[in-house]
Amino acid sequence: MDINNELKSLFLMQQVYASLFSVYNKLNSESARRFVTLSSRQYMAILAILHLPKSETTINNIAKKLGTTKQNTKQLITALEKKRYIEVKPSDMDRRAANIEVTPAGMDEMLMAGEVGIMLLADVFHDFSDDEMQ
């Protein structure tokens, strides 16, 4: 084992991690500046709900789709429910579960936020070719 190569690899890993962390923070800051009534996390939660089959919009499935914990997802759902962008309804398939549905107000908000999201993505990725993004 070559200790210099190991140290070089560790240094590179730390640099990549720090860069990813910095990009994440910058994207969150820019998203917070652009999205008015929805945070980027709330936007992604509603998007996840819309992408799941209606009978599978449980907190567990939304959490899996978002790659986060059930607890974080529950916080998002609670905040969105307070804004009346979603409704939590008993599941038709499992009495222990609940399904999350986007309300008409939530759909209106998603349409407005979607335009903001598209512009954000266009601004962030304008210097990248399709090949580079793939």
Side-chain angles (χ1 to χ4, degrees), residues 59-72:
I59 289 178
N60 283 339
N61 287 340
I62 296 165
K64 286 178 194 171
K65 190 119 179 116
L66 295 174
T68 189
T69 65
K70 194 170 122 177
Q71 292 79 10
N72 283 339

Side-chain angles (χ1 to χ4, degrees), residues 22-112:
S22 176
V23 168
Y24 173 78
N25 284 334
K26 288 177 182 177
L27 283 173
N28 270 344
S29 293
E30 187 61 21
S31 292
R33 190 178 71 73
R34 292 187 188 207
F35 286 98
V36 179
T37 57
L38 284 177
S39 70
S40 58
R41 291 178 64 228
Q42 290 171 343
Y43 175 79
M44 292 305 295
I46 294 176
L47 200 58
I49 294 164
L50 294 171
H51 282 215
L52 286 166
K54 193 172 182 175
S55 63
E56 297 178 20
T57 56
T58 63
I59 289 178
N60 283 339
N61 287 340
I62 296 165
K64 286 178 194 171
K65 190 119 179 116
L66 295 174
T68 189
T69 65
K70 194 170 122 177
Q71 292 79 10
N72 283 339
T73 303
K74 179 65 176 152
Q75 287 178 339
L76 286 170
I77 295 304
T78 300
L80 290 168
E81 194 175 20
K82 284 181 184 175
K83 292 180 178 185
R84 296 198 165 118
Y85 293 155
I86 60 161
E87 289 181 341
V88 179
K89 296 185 174 183
S91 171
D92 293 334
M93 302 178 81
D94 183 351
R95 288 183 296 163
R96 299 167 295 165
N99 287 105
I100 315 301
E101 291 183 13
V102 180
T103 64
M107 287 301 293
D108 290 344
E109 189 59 38
M110 284 300 285
L111 290 172
M112 286 188 291

